[in-house]
Amino acid sequence: MSGETLQVYFLGTAGALPTTQRNPPCILVRHGSDTLLFDCGEGAQQQMMRSRCGFTVDAIFITHWHADHFLGIFGLVQTLSFNGRTDPLTIYGPEWVCEFVTILKTVARFNLKFPLESVELANGSWVRFDGYTVTAFSVNHGLPSLGYILEEDPRPGRFNREQAIACGVPPGPLFGRLQRGETVRIGTEDESRDVQPEQVMGQARPGRKIVYTGDTRAVHSRIMEIAHDADLLIHDATYDESEAGRGAEFYHATARQAGEAASALRARTLVLIHTSSRYTGADAHISDAKSAFSGPVIAPDDLDMIEVPFRD
Ligand SMILES: [Zn+2]
Ligand SMILES: [Zn+2]
C-alpha cells in the first residue's frame, strides 16, 4: 500500500439546501483502487459523472439521518443494480442505519441485483480495509451522528543500505527480506549471525489521515486522542462568525470554530464544508477560520479534488 494514491473529491459541499453552485454533502475518497463515499446527498450520481469518478463504490459511510446527507443513495443503488453490480455493498452509519436500509430495499421492491447490507457503527467502532482503517467518532448534532477518520497503517521506516553493508549483509535478495521485516542470517555455516530488520530500518513513518466531522458543533475537546494530526480535517463550517448563535442553536459549527478545532487537533490542512446556502462566497468563512488556525484553509467548490501526499 506504500505508493497508493489518496484523493478526496468534494462532490457536494452545501449545507442543508442545494444551491445552483453546490450540491448537498458527498465526499468521495479514492484510496488506491478503493472508492468510499462519505455521505451521499441528492444528486450524487451526476456529480460522480461530472467528476469522472465512475460508479465503482466499495462502501458508503453516512454521518447522520438528515436528508441532505443520504437522499442520493436511492438513485445510486438503483443505478448500480441497473449496471449489473453483483458485489455486496455495505452502508455504514449511526443508529437507524438498519431501518434505513430496510426502507431502501422496500422502496426498491427488493429488486436489487446485489446484496445491500447495513452495519451500525458507534463511537470508536472501526472498519478495516486493505492498508487502512475507518474509525467512527460521536459528534454533537442533536441526533445520533458520527464523524469518520480514515487512517492508513504506518509505513515501514527507510532502509539504510550503508548500514546493512556495514552489518555484513551483501547487496542482493537479503536486502529485500530485511525490508519486509525478516531477520536474515549471514556468514558461513561455522560462523553465522543474525541481522535484525531494526538494525537497518529507520523509524516507522505515519500513514496519511483524513478526519471528516459531518454536521456538528465544535467537538475537538472530546476527540483529541483519535483525531489529532490529520493531513486533512474536513469540518462543518455552516456559518460565519456573525451567526455563531445560529450555529449553537442548530448544532452546527462556525468557520472560526472549525479553525479552533484544526489548531487544537494540530491538523495540517483545514477544509471547510457544509456552507449554508445563505452565503454566496466563502471569503468570510476562510478569514474567520484563519483567525484561529495558522495552517492552510480550503473552502472547496463542488467537484474540487484534493490529493493527499505522503508526508516525506
Ligand atoms: Zn447537513
Ligand atoms: Zn444535519
Side-chain angles (χ1 to χ4, degrees):
M1 79 91 192
S2 55
E4 303 284 14
T5 54
L6 180 57
Q7 296 170 324
V8 182
Y9 288 84
F10 294 91
L11 302 186
T13 60
L17 306 176
T19 70
T20 54
Q21 305 298 321
R22 294 182 189 273
N23 268 36
C26 183
I27 298 172
L28 184 149
V29 175
R30 185 154 280 164
H31 185 279
S33 59
D34 288 355
T35 301
L36 310 182
L37 282 186
F38 291 88
D39 287 329
C40 186
E42 179 186 349
Q45 289 190 79
Q46 285 173 303
Q47 297 295 75
M48 291 167 83
M49 290 177 204
R50 292 183 182 115
S51 67
R52 302 183 189 282
C53 287
F55 286 100
T56 313
V57 178
D58 296 293
I60 299 177
F61 291 85
I62 299 298
T63 56
H64 65 292
W65 304 107
H66 280 156
D68 52 325
H69 295 257
F70 67 78
L71 275 183
I73 296 180
F74 290 88
L76 178 61
V77 296
Q78 296 282 359
T79 297
L80 294 176
S81 186
F82 185 80
N83 287 347
R85 182 187 180 111
T86 53
D87 291 341
L89 176 65
T90 301
I91 298 177
Y92 299 91
E95 201 177 334
W96 309 328
V97 65
C98 301
E99 288 91 330
F100 173 77
V101 170
T102 300
I103 290 168
L104 195 52
K105 288 176 174 175
T106 307
V107 169
R109 297 278 179 242
F110 298 93
N111 203 21
L112 297 176
K113 304 279 193 302
F114 62 93
L116 189 62
E117 291 158 6
S118 56
V119 173
E120 181 178 320
L121 301 178
N123 188 43
S125 304
W126 46 268
V127 183
R128 185 70 194 147
F129 293 89
D130 183 18
Y132 62 98
T133 301
V134 176
T135 305
F137 59 93
S138 291
V139 296
N140 181 3
H141 190 47
L143 76 168
S145 300
L146 297 172
Y148 294 106
I149 299 167
L150 185 156
E151 184 169 19
E152 291 181 323
D153 299 345
R155 291 189 298 152
R158 287 189 192 286
F159 177 65
N160 187 331
R161 180 187 165 86
E162 289 70 35
Q163 179 68 16
I165 291 170
C167 288
V169 184
L174 294 183
F175 278 18
R177 289 179 52 194
L178 284 163
Q179 289 173 42
R180 289 193 294 275
E182 297 174 29
T183 300
V184 301
R185 179 154 292 183
I186 57 169
T188 62
E189 233 172 69
D190 296 336
E191 196 182 327
S192 66
R193 63 192 167 84
D194 289 343
V195 176
Q196 311 287 342
E198 304 82 64
Q199 293 175 254
V200 297
M201 301 294 290
Q203 288 255 318
R205 294 168 289 173
R208 293 166 293 187
K209 184 170 182 176
I210 297 170
V211 176
Y212 172 44
T213 65
D215 292 5
T216 186
R217 286 176 178 163
V219 287
H220 50 275
S221 58
R222 281 208 273 112
I223 57 171
M224 291 289 281
E225 284 295 311
I226 55 169
H228 66 91
D229 206 23
D231 295 271
L232 280 190
L233 170 64
I234 305 167
H235 202 291
D236 181 326
T238 303
Y239 297 108
D240 67 17
E241 204 48 29
S242 68
E243 297 198 279
R246 290 182 76 85
E249 183 181 353
F250 294 109
Y251 292 89
H252 283 291
T254 64
R256 183 181 164 83
Q257 288 164 347
E260 289 166 353
S263 279
L265 298 173
R266 299 195 310 276
R268 284 157 189 257
T269 296
L270 171 63
V271 180
L272 306 176
I273 197 170
H274 204 269
T275 319
S276 167
S277 59
R278 71 189 59 224
Y279 306 106
T280 50
D283 291 351
H285 285 64
I286 289 176
S287 61
D288 283 354
K290 280 181 178 284
S291 70
F293 176 59
S294 58
V297 178
I298 298 170
D301 292 325
D302 278 23
L303 305 182
D304 282 355
M305 187 273 280
I306 295 177
E307 179 132 20
V308 184
F310 287 107
R311 296 180 188 183
D312 52 9

